[in-house]
């Protein structure tokens, strides 16, 4: 099972919006609406931000939103804040009944 | 409050065996899958596998099948990840996490991580 493809890095200024893509295949992202996104700050455990493509767990800011088109899912962060600077990982359920992660995208808030 | 507390950092030599643990509390341990995730130094997250403590059903990533063993002791609400013969390439941070839904395998709660260092 190959890792999902994410850009290595994205950046944006405070207040702006950014989008991170996550490309898989018709056996994972394209077939199931089971894409999740995780935020990881340096030295910390990951935190679930989005699940089932576009759902936010309780307590996660509504500045975070998710979507999917075909084999590509996206995470959008609006109104960028300094605290959003982190590495973001997507994941998807697969036809093998396991999970696969993306390679991670480092978000820099300029 | 759901909590996953992992065992402490380990320093081992190549060829040695190791078993690290993850103790769950604040929820019904036997009703949720628990998974393990590897993060090598400076690298991304890798899904290793999951176990359902209720019946010990286990699924592994093909990349880790045969390389590690995932187990659980439901009597003490603890999941384990073990190696029979460590390699230097096993040096990594290992996280356990609760699978919030068997439908989508999302990890909704995470342990603090256990750093494993394998060096001669």
């Amino acid at each position: 099972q190959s890792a999902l493809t994410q850009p290595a890095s994205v950046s944006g200024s405070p207040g702006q919006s950014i989008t991170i893509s996550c490309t898989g295949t018709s056996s994972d992202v394209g077939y199931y609406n089971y894409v999740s996104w995780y935020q990881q700050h340096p030295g910390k455990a990951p935190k679930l931000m989005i699940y089932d493509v576009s759902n936010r767990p309780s307590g996660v800011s509504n500045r975070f939103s998710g979507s999917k088109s075909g084999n590509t899912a996206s995470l959008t962060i609006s109104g960028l804040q300094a605290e959003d600077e982190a590495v973001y990982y997507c994941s998807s359920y697969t036809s093998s009944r396991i999970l696969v992660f993306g390679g991670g995208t480092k978000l820099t808030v300029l | 409050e759901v909590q996953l507390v992992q065992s402490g950092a380990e320093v081992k030599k190549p060829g040695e065996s190791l078993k690290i643990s993850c103790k769950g509390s604040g929820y019904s341990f036997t009703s949720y899958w628990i998974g393990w995730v590897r993060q090598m130094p400076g690298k991304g997250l890798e899904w290793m596998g999951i176990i359902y403590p209720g019946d010990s059903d286990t699924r592994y990533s093909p990349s880790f099948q045969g390389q590690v063993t995932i187990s659980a002791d439901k009597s003490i609400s603890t999941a384990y990840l073990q190696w029979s013969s460590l390699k230097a390439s096993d040096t990594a941070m290992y996280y356990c996490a609760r699978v919030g839904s068997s439908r989508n395998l999302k990890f909704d709660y995470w342990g603090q991580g256990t750093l494993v260092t394998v060096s001669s």
Side-chain angles (χ1 to χ4, degrees):
Chain A
Q1 195 75 42
S2 299
L4 307 177
T5 301
Q6 298 181 234
S9 63
V10 298
S11 63
S13 299
Q16 288 185 331
S17 294
I18 64 95
T19 296
I20 299 171
S21 63
C22 169
T23 301
T25 69
S26 56
S27 296
D28 40 62
V29 175
Y31 192 84
Y32 301 98
N33 287 324
Y34 295 152
V35 174
S36 295
W37 290 89
Y38 299 86
Q39 175 192 64
Q40 187 179 34
H41 287 112
K44 300 293 188 183
K47 175 186 176 183
L48 179 66
M49 304 301 285
I50 295 284
Y51 67 94
D52 290 355
V53 175
S54 60
N55 292 316
R56 281 187 309 276
S58 173
V60 172
S61 171
N62 59 10
R63 297 186 299 105
F64 292 82
S65 61
S67 62
K68 190 188 88 167
S69 177
N71 294 341
T72 299
S74 299
L75 172 71
T76 297
I77 308 174
S78 59
L80 267 182
Q81 298 179 1
E83 68 209 48
D84 299 332
E85 185 161 296
V87 179
Y88 291 85
Y89 295 92
C90 62
S91 71
S92 176
Y93 185 83
T94 77
S95 58
S96 301
R97 297 169 65 232
I98 64 173
L99 203 79
V100 63
F101 281 108
T105 299
K106 181 173 171 52
L107 168 62
T108 301
V109 180
L110 302 169
Chain B
E1 178 195 8
V2 174
Q3 281 195 312
L4 296 172
V5 179
Q6 299 185 229
S7 49
E10 301 274 1
V11 179
K12 292 287 190 180
K13 289 181 167 38
E16 292 186 332
S17 63
L18 175 64
K19 193 173 189 177
I20 62 175
S21 67
C22 170
K23 183 173 176 61
S25 62
Y27 71 101
S28 175
F29 186 74
T30 55
S31 300
Y32 291 84
W33 293 77
I34 281 216
W36 289 94
V37 175
R38 182 175 78 174
Q39 187 166 38
M40 299 176 77
K43 301 299 184 182
L45 306 176
E46 298 174 271
W47 193 90
M48 302 178 72
I50 55 175
I51 186 166
Y52 189 74
D55 61 7
S56 292
D57 187 15
T58 312
R59 300 180 201 172
Y60 291 93
S61 162
S63 300
F64 293 94
Q65 179 84 49
Q67 307 304 307
V68 297
T69 300
I70 295 172
S71 61
D73 185 340
K74 60 186 178 183
S75 69
I76 54 172
S77 301
T78 300
Y80 301 97
L81 177 66
Q82 69 180 83
W83 296 259
S84 58
S85 180
L86 286 160
K87 303 185 277 289
S89 57
D90 292 318
T91 294
M93 180 72 81
Y94 292 89
Y95 292 101
C96 67
R98 191 185 81 162
V99 176
S101 167
S102 59
R103 178 175 51 82
N104 56 26
L105 300 187
K106 66 177 182 183
F107 287 132
D108 58 356
Y109 291 91
W110 293 69
Q112 82 277 20
T114 295
L115 181 62
V116 173
T117 303
V118 183
S119 174
S120 55

